[in-house]
Structure formats: structure tokens, C-alpha cells
């Protein structure tokens, strides 16, 4: 069976987020890739006897979105921190879209940061809805609940506690969000919209 393979990321020294935390976080990412493959293998195995394995098949199928989205979301998250921090390109496609949708970059950023501080674990996301030609900010619970169908994921901020608690403590959630934007390579984010 065709396998998903973990991607590697060229991550610099980051402000606030330690190399140790990144190392541990990458292990979790590798786990999502492994389990995405595992779900597909298990389904192939269990469907050999659908009647006997109906219940198990249902449970394994239910896990696929959790594992697959966990894999893809982390790829967007880590790749946006690759290389070095850059600013959003003035006059670029993403900036134009942000201004069109929110009036200003600051207005978008303010809304996104509020979403990032949503209680619970999950993801603060910026999506692009091609059909409507508009950007959408949203919160995604864990990763299998709330992803926007048929939209392109442009920016993903991991707000699971494993992404920041070792460096910031639970009370440092806000500082982690601030540092994420200091570390962000906007050129990578722009690629997600333009690619
Ligand atoms: Fe994560």
C-alpha cells in the first residue's frame, strides 16, 4: 500500500520555543504520519471480513480524519517556521486579501489572536475559500472537528498544550502566540495561498 512519509523541516533557533520542545513535537508529528498509514492498513485488513469486523471497521474509519489532519496541520505549522522570520509581503496577494476581508492587517491579526486563545486544545486557522475568493479565520477543535471543507489551509497555529507548555507553562499561552508571530516566515504562508 502507498505510504505517507514524514516530511523534514529546516527549523532555525526560535524565539521562546525551545529546540527540545520542537524535537518532542516532531515526534508527535511522526506519530500522526505513522498512524495515518496504520489506519489505512487496518482498514485493508479488517475489510477482508466486513461482517465479522463491522464494529471495528467503524471505529478505525472514525480515526482517519484525526490522524490525517494531524499530519497535514503539523506540516503547515512547522513549514511556516522554517528558514527565518520574514514579514508579510507588502502589496502581495495575501496582504491584499487580508485587507479586502478585514480592512487592515492589524484587524486580521487581532481577530486571529483572539481565536488562538480559545479555551481548550485545537488550532487557530486561516483558510482560503477559493469559490468565494475570501479568507476565513476559524478555530478547529483537536483536528477532526471544524476543518473547513474544500478550503485551502494557509496558516495553522497549533494550540494543543504540547506545543507550548514545556516552554511557557499553561499561563504563558498568550506569550507563545506572540512569539509564534515573531518566528513566523510569512513567505511560507504566502506559498500556501499562491501554491
Ligand atoms: Fe502539535
Amino acid at each position: 500500500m502507498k505510504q505517507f512519509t514524514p516530511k523534514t523541516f529546516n527549523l532555525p533557533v526560535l524565539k521562546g520555543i525551545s529546540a527540545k520542545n520542537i524535537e518532542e513535537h516532531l515526534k508527535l508529528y511522526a506519530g500522526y504520519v505513522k498512524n495515518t498509514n496504520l489506519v489505512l492498513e487496518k482498514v485493508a485488513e479488517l475489510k477482508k471480513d466486513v461482517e465479522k469486523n463491522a464494529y471495528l471497521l467503524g471505529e478505525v474509519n472514525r480515526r482517519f480524519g484525526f490522524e490525517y489532519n494531524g499530519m497535514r496541520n503539523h506540516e503547515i505549522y512547522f513549514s511556516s517556521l522554517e528558514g527565518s522570520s520574514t514579514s508579510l509581503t507588502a502589496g502581495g496577494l495575501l496582504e491584499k486579501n487580508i485587507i479586502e476581508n478585514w480592512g487592515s492587517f492589524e484587524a486580521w491579526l487581532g481577530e486571529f489572536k483572539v481565536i488562538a486563545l480559545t479555551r481548550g486544545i485545537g488550532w487557530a486557522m486561516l483558510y482560503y475559500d477559493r469559490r468565494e475568493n475570501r479568507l476565513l479565520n476559524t478555530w478547529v477543535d483537536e483536528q477532526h472537528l471544524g476543518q473547513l471543507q474544500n478550503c485551502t489551509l494557509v496558516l495553522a497555529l497549533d494550540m494543543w498544550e504540547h506545543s507550548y507548555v514545556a516552554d511557557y507553562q499553561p499561563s504563558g499561552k498568550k506569550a507563545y502566540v506572540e512569539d509564534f508571530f515573531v518566528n513566523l516566515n510569512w513567505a511560507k504562508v504566502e506559498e500556501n495561498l499562491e501554491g
Side-chain angles (χ1 to χ4, degrees), residues 47-59:
K47 76 181 181 190
K48 287 176 189 161
D49 191 340
V50 173
E51 214 165 303
K52 182 180 155 218
N53 297 321
Y55 183 80
L56 280 176
L57 259 173
E59 289 308 298

Side-chain angles (χ1 to χ4, degrees), residues 1 39-49 53 57:
M1 186 183 287
V39 167
L40 294 176
E41 278 166 30
K42 289 288 173 199
V43 168
E45 205 178 296
L46 290 166
K47 76 181 181 190
K48 287 176 189 161
D49 191 340
N53 297 321
L57 259 173

Side-chain angles (χ1 to χ4, degrees), residues 32 65-74 76 111-128 136-163 173:
Y32 283 116
F66 180 84
E67 304 296 354
Y68 179 88
N69 292 339
M71 171 177 73
R72 291 301 190 217
N73 290 355
H74 280 98
I76 296 285
E111 184 182 298
F112 192 87
K113 284 180 178 175
V114 167
I115 289 172
L117 297 176
T118 301
R119 285 170 58 75
I121 53 167
W123 297 79
M125 301 295 213
L126 172 66
Y127 285 95
Y128 177 62
L136 297 162
N137 279 334
T138 195
W139 172 259
V140 173
D141 270 320
E142 293 191 347
Q143 55 257 350
H144 56 305
L145 298 171
Q147 302 258 16
L148 303 185
Q149 191 267 347
N150 204 26
C151 289
T152 303
L153 182 55
V154 177
L155 176 67
L157 172 50
D158 193 340
M159 293 308 301
W160 281 59
E161 286 168 347
H162 62 241
S163 58
K173 195 172 180 175

Side-chain angles (χ1 to χ4, degrees), residues 87-112 125-129 133-137 154-155 181 184 186-187 189-190 193-194:
S87 309
L88 182 64
T89 308
L93 186 63
L94 183 54
E95 194 203 51
K96 274 187 193 165
N97 271 276
I98 285 175
I99 291 171
E100 226 170 81
N101 282 268
W102 283 274
S104 70
F105 175 76
E106 289 67 32
W108 167 80
L109 186 62
E111 184 182 298
F112 192 87
M125 301 295 213
L126 172 66
Y127 285 95
Y128 177 62
D129 179 341
N133 186 30
R134 65 179 291 185
L135 293 162
L136 297 162
N137 279 334
V154 177
L155 176 67
F181 281 100
L184 192 59
W186 276 102
V189 181
E190 288 170 343
L193 178 65
E194 290 159 21

